[in-house]
Amino acid sequence: MSRSTRRILATAAFSALALTMPALPASAAPSAPAAHPTAHVCDQHAKPGMATCFAQRQTDTTRARLAPNAAPSGYGPSDLRAAYNLTGTGSASATVAIVDAYDDPNAESDLATYRSTYGLPACTTDNGCFKKVNQKGQSSPLPKADTGWAGEISLDLDMVSAICPNCHILLVEADQPTMDDLGTAVNSAVTLGAKYVSNSYGGGEDGNENTYDTSYFKHPGVAITASTGDSGYGISYPASSQYVTAVGGTSLTKGGGDRGWSETAWNGAGSGCSGSVPKPSFQNTDTGCDKRAVADVSAVADPQTGVAVYQTYGGSGWAVYGGTSASAPIIASVYALAGTPGASDTPGAYPYAHTGNLNDVTEGSNGSCDAQQQCNAGPGWDGPTGLGTPNGTAA
């Protein structure tokens, strides 16, 4: 039997609450047991004080064009919204910011292809939905283009579109993948009005985390998400910031349970204990860490059960992507669906106060560790998946 024949066609439609838009085409949901070769889109050898992006893509599922009436491989908007019980479509008053390094010159045109393919409303510079700026918040000059980070940018933009199709999108491009430049971009995103900021990058801790926290990530009333990394058990910053929601990763498969979907911890999802960041007061559960522990929550990240992305600058069109680079913008967009955070709140605290509104992921592992909950999924909090994945927006 061929690989395409084995795949389950996802047919979940948008809720009746969705915008009046064309029906979304079903997507070919990847099967968990099938092994696809994958590649990181960015160099993974980040130097101290620098970060790498965490996007991965399958290298054998790229298609420049779709056959007539065909759907892209990988999970699409209707799949993701069904898996996480998301019915609202968001509001134009909500801006989700994506912070990445370098420029993707095809970002807007690739975004247009993704959204039109899935029947989502147009999100363009001209209609005010999309805006691209440099790390200072200005429309020019933009950083130099980079084919690796461009793949990350496409993944991020497509995931915001899938989860919150009515949200406005702000893309802030840092000059370089240094923590100072990326942090400056975070500050600019907040200054420009974003209440939801996704960061799909990270690097090893270097002892400057608390300084970075104060300078760049301490924004009360703003939901900031950060990917925990794709190398299994081990810590990454800014996921270990006390002011962000650290987002781990799962393998997501259609079928099973009351949800009609099943999830296990993805073996690549990062987790662990910070060496320098104090444990935030909201992390009111046993983590086995004296300091900050990650993750807080999670979403699909396994590139073997990945998401559809359209990418042409450094890519050839449609491909299946994964990595915790997918889960961070998904969670930022779920925050946007949930509504504006309290002005003085640290939104990372919200899931800890509403654990019953998450899908607890209890199986899977990302490596070996002394405190088993830090690398093995189980009831309640665990390192790879945190408190679980969204079940609606109540968490």
Side-chain angles (χ1 to χ4, degrees):
M1 184 181 293
S2 68
R3 179 185 300 120
S4 60
T5 304
R6 292 197 305 267
R7 288 174 181 154
I8 302 170
L9 295 179
T11 57
F14 270 102
S15 160
L17 296 176
L19 293 175
T20 54
M21 60 178 76
L24 303 183
S27 57
S31 175
H36 297 276
T38 62
H40 293 277
V41 303
C42 295
D43 182 1
Q44 295 299 291
H45 302 289
K47 298 176 182 179
M50 299 189 73
T52 185
C53 80
F54 294 132
Q56 299 185 42
R57 69 177 166 222
Q58 295 180 8
T59 58
D60 64 339
T61 55
T62 299
R63 288 187 288 173
R65 297 178 182 85
L66 298 176
N69 301 317
S73 298
Y75 292 132
S78 62
D79 303 309
L80 296 172
R81 292 166 59 84
Y84 296 125
N85 189 28
L86 303 172
T87 56
T89 56
S91 167
S93 64
T95 296
V96 180
I98 296 298
V99 172
D100 283 310
Y102 302 123
D103 178 42
D104 177 1
N106 297 354
E108 186 169 358
S109 59
D110 285 353
L111 177 65
T113 298
Y114 180 88
R115 293 178 73 103
S116 63
T117 298
Y118 286 109
L120 304 177
C123 187
T124 67
T125 300
D126 289 345
N127 69 15
C129 174
F130 177 75
K131 186 174 185 179
K132 180 167 73 169
V133 297
N134 62 25
Q135 69 183 43
K136 296 180 180 178
Q138 301 167 345
S139 58
S140 65
L142 295 172
K144 67 179 182 180
D146 182 87
T147 56
W149 280 84
E152 175 64 64
I153 289 170
S154 289
L155 169 60
D156 293 341
L157 296 178
D158 291 355
M159 291 305 95
V160 176
S161 299
I163 301 300
C164 193
N166 277 355
C167 285
H168 281 193
I169 304 176
L170 172 65
L171 171 60
V172 188
E173 299 178 331
D175 291 343
Q176 298 182 79
T178 65
M179 204 56 64
D180 286 325
D181 283 0
L182 290 161
T184 297
V186 171
N187 287 345
S188 293
V190 176
T191 298
L192 290 172
K195 294 294 184 182
Y196 320 93
V197 183
S198 176
N199 304 273
S200 292
Y201 58 82
E205 292 189 336
D206 62 9
N208 293 309
E209 289 72 40
N210 291 305
T211 298
Y212 295 143
D213 262 8
T214 302
S215 299
Y216 305 127
F217 296 100
K218 187 178 182 180
H219 292 288
V222 179
I224 302 177
T225 63
S227 304
T228 61
D230 294 353
S231 299
Y233 179 66
I235 202 71
S236 176
Y237 185 87
S240 61
S241 167
Q242 63 184 304
Y243 300 116
V244 312
T245 299
V247 185
T250 68
S251 301
L252 175 69
T253 305
K254 187 164 186 171
D258 295 335
R259 292 169 60 193
W261 297 82
S262 58
E263 286 179 282
T264 60
W266 175 45
N267 61 13
S271 66
C273 308
S274 174
S276 58
V277 179
K279 185 176 184 177
S281 59
F282 63 75
Q283 200 164 46
N284 55 0
T285 188
D286 177 24
T287 63
C289 299
D290 294 330
K291 292 184 169 64
R292 170 72 157 122
V294 300
D296 297 315
V297 293
S298 54
V300 60
D302 184 353
Q304 300 299 330
T305 65
V307 297
V309 171
Y310 190 77
Q311 159 63 13
T312 61
Y313 190 75
S316 300
W318 290 102
V320 178
Y321 273 67
T324 51
S325 280
S327 54
I330 288 174
I331 295 299
S333 302
V334 175
Y335 270 108
L337 292 178
T340 307
S344 61
D345 290 357
T346 299
Y350 293 165
Y352 289 87
H354 303 280
T355 58
N357 298 111
L358 294 162
N359 301 306
D360 193 8
V361 181
T362 60
E363 297 181 354
S365 174
N366 69 351
S368 300
C369 53
D370 292 334
Q372 291 302 299
Q373 74 267 43
Q374 293 173 14
C375 60
N376 294 292
W381 183 91
D382 59 73
T385 70
L387 298 167
T389 63
N391 180 9
T393 61

Coordinates of all heavy atoms in Angstrom, one line a residue, residues 241-311:
S241 N 12.8 31.8 30.2 CA 12.4 33.1 30.8 C 11.2 32.9 31.7 O 10.3 32.2 31.4 CB 12.1 34.1 29.7 OG 11.4 35.2 30.2
Q242 N 11.3 33.6 32.8 CA 10.1 33.6 33.7 C 8.9 34.4 33.3 O 7.9 34.3 33.9 CB 10.6 34.1 35.1 CG 11.0 35.6 35.1 CD 11.5 36.0 36.5 OE1 10.8 35.9 37.5 NE2 12.7 36.5 36.6
Y243 N 9.1 35.1 32.1 CA 8.0 36.0 31.7 C 7.4 35.5 30.4 O 6.5 36.1 29.8 CB 8.6 37.4 31.4 CG 9.1 38.0 32.7 CD1 10.5 38.4 32.7 CD2 8.3 38.3 33.8 CE1 11.0 38.9 33.9 CE2 8.8 38.9 34.9 CZ 10.2 39.2 35.0 OH 10.7 39.7 36.1
V244 N 7.7 34.3 29.9 CA 7.1 33.7 28.7 C 6.4 32.4 29.0 O 6.6 31.8 30.1 CB 8.2 33.5 27.6 CG1 9.1 34.7 27.4 CG2 9.0 32.2 27.9
T245 N 5.5 32.0 28.1 CA 5.0 30.7 28.1 C 5.9 29.8 27.3 O 6.0 30.0 26.1 CB 3.5 30.7 27.5 OG1 2.7 31.5 28.3 CG2 3.0 29.3 27.5
A246 N 6.5 28.8 27.9 CA 7.4 27.9 27.3 C 6.6 26.8 26.6 O 5.8 26.1 27.3 CB 8.4 27.3 28.3
V247 N 6.8 26.6 25.3 CA 5.9 25.7 24.5 C 6.7 24.5 24.0 O 7.6 24.6 23.2 CB 5.3 26.5 23.3 CG1 4.3 25.6 22.6 CG2 4.6 27.8 23.8
G248 N 6.3 23.4 24.5 CA 6.9 22.1 24.1 C 6.2 21.5 22.9 O 5.4 22.2 22.2
G249 N 6.4 20.2 22.7 CA 5.8 19.6 21.5 C 5.3 18.2 21.6 O 5.7 17.5 22.5
T250 N 4.3 17.9 20.8 CA 3.7 16.6 20.7 C 3.7 16.0 19.3 O 4.0 16.7 18.4 CB 2.2 16.7 21.2 OG1 1.5 17.4 20.2 CG2 2.1 17.3 22.6
S251 N 3.5 14.7 19.3 CA 3.1 14.0 18.1 C 1.6 13.9 18.1 O 1.0 13.4 19.0 CB 3.8 12.6 18.0 OG 5.2 12.7 18.1
L252 N 1.0 14.4 17.0 CA -0.5 14.5 16.9 C -1.0 13.5 15.8 O -0.5 13.6 14.7 CB -0.9 15.9 16.6 CG -2.4 16.2 16.4 CD1 -3.2 16.0 17.6 CD2 -2.6 17.6 15.8
T253 N -1.9 12.6 16.2 CA -2.4 11.7 15.3 C -3.9 11.7 15.3 O -4.6 11.7 16.4 CB -1.9 10.2 15.6 OG1 -0.5 10.2 15.7 CG2 -2.4 9.2 14.6
K254 N -4.5 11.7 14.1 CA -6.0 11.7 14.1 C -6.5 10.3 14.4 O -6.0 9.3 14.0 CB -6.5 12.1 12.7 CG -8.0 12.2 12.6 CD -8.5 13.0 11.4 CE -10.0 13.2 11.5 NZ -10.4 14.1 10.4
G255 N -7.6 10.3 15.3 CA -8.2 9.1 15.7 C -7.9 8.7 17.2 O -6.8 9.1 17.7
G256 N -8.8 8.2 17.9 CA -8.6 7.7 19.2 C -9.2 8.7 20.3 O -9.2 9.9 20.1
G257 N -9.7 8.1 21.3 CA -10.2 8.8 22.5 C -11.5 9.6 22.2 O -12.0 9.6 21.0
D258 N -11.9 10.4 23.1 CA -13.1 11.2 23.0 C -12.9 12.3 22.0 O -13.8 12.8 21.4 CB -13.6 11.7 24.3 CG -14.0 10.6 25.3 OD1 -14.4 9.5 24.8 OD2 -13.9 10.8 26.5
R259 N -11.7 12.8 21.9 CA -11.3 13.9 21.0 C -11.4 13.6 19.6 O -11.6 14.4 18.7 CB -9.9 14.5 21.3 CG -9.7 15.1 22.6 CD -8.2 15.4 22.9 NE -7.6 16.2 21.8 CZ -6.3 16.3 21.7 NH1 -5.5 15.6 22.5 NH2 -5.8 17.1 20.8
G260 N -11.1 12.3 19.2 CA -10.9 11.9 17.9 C -9.5 12.2 17.4 O -9.2 12.1 16.2
W261 N -8.6 12.6 18.4 CA -7.2 12.8 18.1 C -6.4 12.3 19.3 O -7.0 12.2 20.4 CB -6.9 14.3 18.0 CG -7.6 15.0 16.9 CD1 -8.9 15.4 16.8 CD2 -7.0 15.3 15.6 NE1 -9.2 16.0 15.6 CE2 -8.0 15.9 14.8 CE3 -5.8 15.1 15.0 CZ2 -7.8 16.3 13.5 CZ3 -5.5 15.5 13.7 CH2 -6.6 16.1 13.0
S262 N -5.2 11.9 19.1 CA -4.4 11.4 20.2 C -3.0 12.1 20.1 O -2.6 12.4 19.0 CB -4.2 9.9 20.1 OG -3.7 9.5 18.9
E263 N -2.4 12.3 21.3 CA -1.1 12.9 21.3 C -0.2 12.2 22.3 O -0.6 11.7 23.3 CB -1.3 14.4 21.8 CG -1.8 15.3 20.7 CD -2.0 16.7 21.2 OE1 -3.0 17.0 21.9 OE2 -1.2 17.6 20.8
T264 N 1.1 12.2 21.9 CA 2.1 11.7 22.8 C 3.2 12.8 22.8 O 3.3 13.6 21.9 CB 2.7 10.4 22.4 OG1 3.3 10.5 21.0 CG2 1.7 9.3 22.4
A265 N 4.1 12.8 23.8 CA 5.2 13.7 23.8 C 6.1 13.4 22.6 O 6.5 12.2 22.3 CB 6.0 13.5 25.1
W266 N 6.5 14.4 21.9 CA 7.4 14.3 20.8 C 8.8 14.1 21.4 O 9.3 14.9 22.3 CB 7.4 15.5 19.9 CG 8.4 15.5 18.8 CD1 8.7 14.5 18.0 CD2 9.2 16.6 18.4 NE1 9.7 14.9 17.1 CE2 10.0 16.2 17.3 CE3 9.4 18.0 18.9 CZ2 11.0 17.0 16.7 CZ3 10.3 18.8 18.2 CH2 11.1 18.3 17.2
N267 N 9.6 13.2 20.8 CA 10.9 12.9 21.4 C 11.9 14.0 21.1 O 13.0 14.0 21.7 CB 11.4 11.5 20.9 CG 11.6 11.5 19.4 OD1 11.6 12.5 18.7 ND2 11.8 10.3 18.8
G268 N 11.6 15.0 20.3 CA 12.5 16.1 20.1 C 12.2 17.3 20.9 O 13.0 18.3 21.0
A269 N 11.1 17.3 21.6 CA 10.7 18.5 22.4 C 11.7 18.8 23.5 O 12.1 17.9 24.3 CB 9.3 18.3 23.0
G270 N 12.1 20.1 23.7 CA 13.0 20.4 24.7 C 12.4 20.5 26.1 O 11.2 20.7 26.2
S271 N 13.1 20.3 27.1 CA 12.6 20.4 28.5 C 13.8 20.5 29.4 O 15.0 20.2 29.0 CB 11.7 19.2 28.9 OG 12.5 18.0 28.9
G272 N 13.6 20.8 30.7 CA 14.7 20.8 31.7 C 14.5 21.9 32.7 O 13.5 22.6 32.7
C273 N 15.6 22.1 33.4 CA 15.7 23.1 34.5 C 16.6 24.2 34.1 O 17.7 24.0 33.6 CB 16.1 22.5 35.8 SG 15.3 21.0 36.4
S274 N 16.2 25.5 34.3 CA 17.1 26.6 34.1 C 18.2 26.6 35.1 O 18.0 26.2 36.3 CB 16.4 27.9 34.2 OG 17.2 29.0 34.1
G275 N 19.4 27.0 34.7 CA 20.5 27.1 35.6 C 20.6 28.5 36.3 O 21.4 28.7 37.2
S276 N 19.8 29.5 35.8 CA 19.9 30.8 36.4 C 18.6 31.5 36.6 O 18.5 32.5 37.4 CB 20.7 31.7 35.4 OG 20.1 31.7 34.1
V277 N 17.5 31.2 36.0 CA 16.2 31.9 36.1 C 15.5 31.3 37.3 O 15.2 30.1 37.4 CB 15.4 31.8 34.8 CG1 14.1 32.5 35.0 CG2 16.2 32.3 33.6
P278 N 15.0 32.2 38.2 CA 14.3 31.7 39.4 C 12.9 31.1 39.0 O 12.4 31.5 37.9 CB 14.1 32.9 40.2 CG 14.3 34.1 39.3 CD 15.3 33.7 38.3
K279 N 12.5 30.2 39.8 CA 11.2 29.6 39.5 C 10.1 30.6 39.7 O 9.9 31.2 40.8 CB 11.0 28.4 40.5 CG 9.7 27.6 40.3 CD 9.6 26.4 41.2 CE 8.4 25.6 40.9 NZ 8.4 24.3 41.8
P280 N 9.3 30.9 38.7 CA 8.2 31.8 38.8 C 7.1 31.4 39.8 O 6.9 30.2 39.9 CB 7.6 32.0 37.4 CG 8.1 30.7 36.7 CD 9.3 30.3 37.3
S281 N 6.5 32.3 40.5 CA 5.5 31.9 41.5 C 4.3 31.2 40.9 O 3.7 30.4 41.6 CB 5.0 33.2 42.2 OG 4.4 34.1 41.2
F282 N 4.0 31.4 39.6 CA 2.9 30.7 39.0 C 3.1 29.2 38.7 O 2.2 28.5 38.6 CB 2.4 31.4 37.7 CG 3.4 31.4 36.6 CD1 3.7 30.2 35.9 CD2 4.1 32.6 36.2 CE1 4.6 30.2 34.8 CE2 5.0 32.6 35.2 CZ 5.3 31.4 34.5
Q283 N 4.4 28.8 38.7 CA 4.7 27.4 38.5 C 4.6 26.6 39.8 O 5.5 26.1 40.4 CB 6.1 27.3 37.9 CG 6.3 26.0 37.1 CD 7.5 26.0 36.3 OE1 8.6 26.4 36.7 NE2 7.4 25.5 35.0
N284 N 3.3 26.5 40.1 CA 2.9 25.9 41.4 C 2.7 24.4 41.4 O 1.7 23.9 41.8 CB 1.6 26.6 41.9 CG 0.5 26.5 40.9 OD1 0.7 25.9 39.8 ND2 -0.6 27.1 41.2
T285 N 3.6 23.7 40.8 CA 3.5 22.3 40.7 C 4.9 21.6 40.8 O 5.9 22.3 40.7 CB 2.9 21.9 39.3 OG1 2.6 20.5 39.2 CG2 3.9 22.3 38.1
D286 N 4.9 20.4 41.1 CA 6.2 19.7 41.3 C 6.9 19.5 39.9 O 6.4 18.7 39.1 CB 6.0 18.3 42.0 CG 7.3 17.6 42.1 OD1 8.4 18.2 42.1 OD2 7.2 16.3 42.2
T287 N 8.0 20.1 39.7 CA 8.7 19.9 38.4 C 10.1 19.2 38.6 O 10.7 18.8 37.6 CB 9.0 21.3 37.8 OG1 9.9 22.1 38.7 CG2 7.7 22.1 37.6
G288 N 10.5 19.1 39.9 CA 11.8 18.5 40.1 C 12.9 19.5 39.9 O 14.1 19.1 40.0
C289 N 12.6 20.7 39.7 CA 13.6 21.8 39.5 C 13.5 22.8 40.6 O 12.5 23.2 41.0 CB 13.3 22.5 38.2 SG 13.4 21.5 36.7
D290 N 14.7 23.3 41.0 CA 14.8 24.4 42.0 C 14.5 25.7 41.3 O 14.0 26.6 42.0 CB 16.1 24.4 42.7 CG 16.4 23.2 43.5 OD1 15.4 22.6 44.1 OD2 17.6 22.8 43.7
K291 N 14.8 25.8 40.1 CA 14.6 27.0 39.3 C 13.5 26.8 38.3 O 12.8 25.8 38.3 CB 15.9 27.5 38.7 CG 16.9 28.0 39.8 CD 18.2 28.5 39.1 CE 19.1 29.2 40.1 NZ 19.6 28.3 41.2
R292 N 13.4 27.7 37.3 CA 12.4 27.7 36.2 C 12.5 26.3 35.5 O 13.6 25.9 35.1 CB 12.7 28.8 35.3 CG 11.9 28.8 34.0 CD 10.4 29.1 34.2 NE 9.8 29.6 33.0 CZ 8.7 29.1 32.5 NH1 8.2 28.0 33.0 NH2 8.2 29.6 31.4
A293 N 11.4 25.7 35.3 CA 11.3 24.5 34.5 C 10.5 24.7 33.2 O 9.5 25.5 33.2 CB 10.6 23.4 35.3
V294 N 10.8 24.0 32.2 CA 10.1 24.1 30.9 C 9.7 22.6 30.5 O 10.5 21.7 30.8 CB 10.9 24.8 29.8 CG1 11.2 26.2 30.2 CG2 12.1 24.1 29.4
A295 N 8.5 22.5 29.9 CA 7.7 23.5 29.2 C 6.5 23.8 30.2 O 6.3 23.2 31.2 CB 7.1 22.9 27.9
D296 N 5.7 24.8 29.7 CA 4.4 25.1 30.4 C 3.2 24.4 29.7 O 2.4 23.9 30.4 CB 4.2 26.6 30.4 CG 5.3 27.4 31.1 OD1 5.6 26.9 32.3 OD2 5.8 28.4 30.6
V297 N 3.1 24.5 28.4 CA 2.1 23.9 27.6 C 2.7 23.4 26.3 O 3.9 23.5 26.1 CB 0.9 24.8 27.3 CG1 0.2 25.2 28.6 CG2 1.4 26.1 26.6
S298 N 1.9 22.8 25.4 CA 2.5 22.3 24.2 C 1.5 22.2 23.1 O 0.3 22.5 23.3 CB 3.1 20.9 24.4 OG 2.1 20.0 25.0
A299 N 1.9 21.9 21.9 CA 1.1 21.6 20.7 C 1.9 20.8 19.8 O 3.1 20.5 20.0 CB 0.6 22.9 20.1
V300 N 1.3 20.5 18.6 CA 2.0 19.6 17.7 C 3.3 20.2 17.2 O 3.4 21.4 16.9 CB 1.1 19.3 16.4 CG1 0.7 20.6 15.7 CG2 1.7 18.3 15.5
A301 N 4.3 19.3 17.2 CA 5.7 19.8 16.8 C 6.4 18.7 16.0 O 7.4 19.0 15.3 CB 6.5 20.2 18.0
D302 N 6.0 17.5 16.1 CA 6.7 16.4 15.5 C 6.6 16.5 14.0 O 5.5 16.5 13.4 CB 6.0 15.0 15.9 CG 6.7 13.8 15.3 OD1 7.7 14.0 14.5 OD2 6.4 12.7 15.7
P303 N 7.7 16.7 13.2 CA 7.6 16.8 11.8 C 7.1 15.6 11.1 O 6.6 15.7 9.9 CB 9.1 17.1 11.4 CG 9.9 16.6 12.5 CD 9.1 16.8 13.7
Q304 N 7.1 14.5 11.8 CA 6.5 13.3 11.2 C 4.9 13.4 11.2 O 4.3 12.7 10.4 CB 6.9 12.0 11.9 CG 8.4 11.8 11.9 CD 8.9 11.6 10.5 OE1 8.3 11.1 9.6 NE2 10.2 11.9 10.3
T305 N 4.4 14.2 12.1 CA 2.9 14.4 12.1 C 2.7 15.9 11.9 O 2.0 16.6 12.7 CB 2.3 13.9 13.4 OG1 2.8 14.7 14.5 CG2 2.6 12.5 13.7
G306 N 3.4 16.5 10.9 CA 3.6 17.9 10.8 C 2.4 18.7 10.1 O 1.4 18.1 9.7
V307 N 2.7 19.9 9.9 CA 1.7 20.9 9.4 C 2.1 21.3 7.9 O 3.3 21.3 7.6 CB 1.6 22.1 10.3 CG1 1.1 21.7 11.7 CG2 3.0 22.9 10.4
A308 N 1.1 21.7 7.2 CA 1.3 22.2 5.8 C 1.8 23.6 5.9 O 1.3 24.4 6.6 CB 0.0 22.1 5.0
V309 N 2.8 23.9 5.1 CA 3.4 25.2 5.0 C 3.8 25.5 3.5 O 4.2 24.6 2.8 CB 4.7 25.3 5.8 CG1 5.4 26.7 5.6 CG2 4.4 25.2 7.3
Y310 N 3.5 26.8 3.1 CA 3.9 27.2 1.8 C 5.1 28.1 1.8 O 5.0 29.1 2.5 CB 2.7 27.9 1.0 CG 3.0 28.1 -0.4 CD1 3.0 27.0 -1.4 CD2 3.4 29.3 -0.9 CE1 3.2 27.2 -2.7 CE2 3.7 29.5 -2.3 CZ 3.6 28.5 -3.1 OH 3.9 28.7 -4.5
Q311 N 6.2 27.8 1.2 CA 7.4 28.5 1.3 C 8.2 28.4 0.0 O 8.5 27.3 -0.5 CB 8.3 27.8 2.5 CG 9.8 28.1 2.5 CD 10.1 29.6 2.6 OE1 9.3 30.4 3.0 NE2 11.3 29.9 2.4

